[in-house]
Amino acid sequence: MAILDQIEALIPDLRRYAHALMRDREAGDDLVQDCLERAVAGLAGRRPDGSLRAWLFRILINRHRDLRRRAARAGHLMAVEDLVVEPAHPAGQDSHMALRETEAAIARLPEDQRRALLLVALEGASFDEAAAALDIPKGTLMSRLARARTNLRTMTGRGEPSAGLAQRGKGV
């Protein structure tokens, strides 16, 4: 399969991850477009023995970091008409509310934890792939995932894992 066909096959994965990172569909699509432009322009410099998926995610993450740095310097301005209007009444379903609560908690995670969690949990990347994409050691990735999960349990009021799970984990 030609390299461009392989890249094309990974676009849905890149879009899903970019949408989760940016929390905005259009901004996520723009991020993927920037990633793809940089990838095509940098094909000659790519290591042929490396994972294409990890390389593309690395480009996407670096571009996201660049955008975050630039946005932090420029300040956060938003047109009033672009503000999201929350519904006047709470959702009627508990599962919908729990999902929104979890989504908000993920958004409040530190960037390094959120990136690691989304790569592994949303994208289904292996620990090795995620570590390569984030350019960190596998142990650091595992630590960030553990902290992200602990923070999510705390922020969503779910506390520590149940005692039964903790007991089983000690025997392993």
Side-chain angles (χ1 to χ4, degrees), residues 19-64:
H19 292 166
L21 275 179
M22 299 298 286
R23 294 181 295 244
D24 178 274
R25 193 172 217 56
E26 288 181 24
D29 287 341
D30 290 344
L31 180 60
V32 170
Q33 180 68 33
D34 287 349
C35 169
L36 294 173
E37 287 175 10
R38 288 169 189 249
V40 170
L43 275 175
R46 179 182 169 267
R47 285 189 356 218
D49 61 333
S51 165
L52 178 63
R53 179 182 168 91
W55 182 67
L56 288 171
F57 274 90
R58 175 95 179 146
I59 293 170
L60 185 91
I61 290 165
N62 285 339
R63 184 64 186 135
H64 178 253

Side-chain angles (χ1 to χ4, degrees), residues 126-165:
S126 70
F127 296 139
D128 292 327
E129 286 178 328
L134 294 169
D135 194 29
I136 58 175
K138 186 175 174 182
T140 302
L141 173 75
M142 302 300 283
S143 176
R144 287 180 184 176
L145 286 172
R147 286 191 312 252
R149 291 174 179 147
T150 300
N151 287 338
L152 282 177
R153 280 193 296 271
T154 301
M155 286 189 270
T156 58
R158 288 173 179 73
E160 292 301 315
S162 69
L165 291 175

Side-chain angles (χ1 to χ4, degrees), residues 4-17:
L4 293 179
D5 292 333
Q6 293 174 12
I7 290 173
E8 184 178 357
L10 291 170
I11 290 175
D13 296 342
L14 292 168
R15 288 186 74 214
R16 189 172 40 251
Y17 187 60

Side-chain angles (χ1 to χ4, degrees), residues 82-143:
D82 290 341
L83 292 174
V84 176
V85 179
E86 292 294 321
H89 54 85
Q93 299 175 348
D94 291 337
S95 59
H96 178 71
M97 291 172 56
L99 180 62
R100 299 272 300 189
E101 178 184 359
T102 303
E103 182 181 41
I106 290 171
R108 290 192 312 268
L109 286 173
E111 276 299 313
D112 60 340
Q113 292 176 23
R114 189 161 61 91
R115 285 186 184 117
L117 182 71
L118 290 174
L119 263 178
V120 173
L122 180 67
E123 286 305 314
S126 70
F127 296 139
D128 292 327
E129 286 178 328
L134 294 169
D135 194 29
I136 58 175
K138 186 175 174 182
T140 302
L141 173 75
M142 302 300 283
S143 176

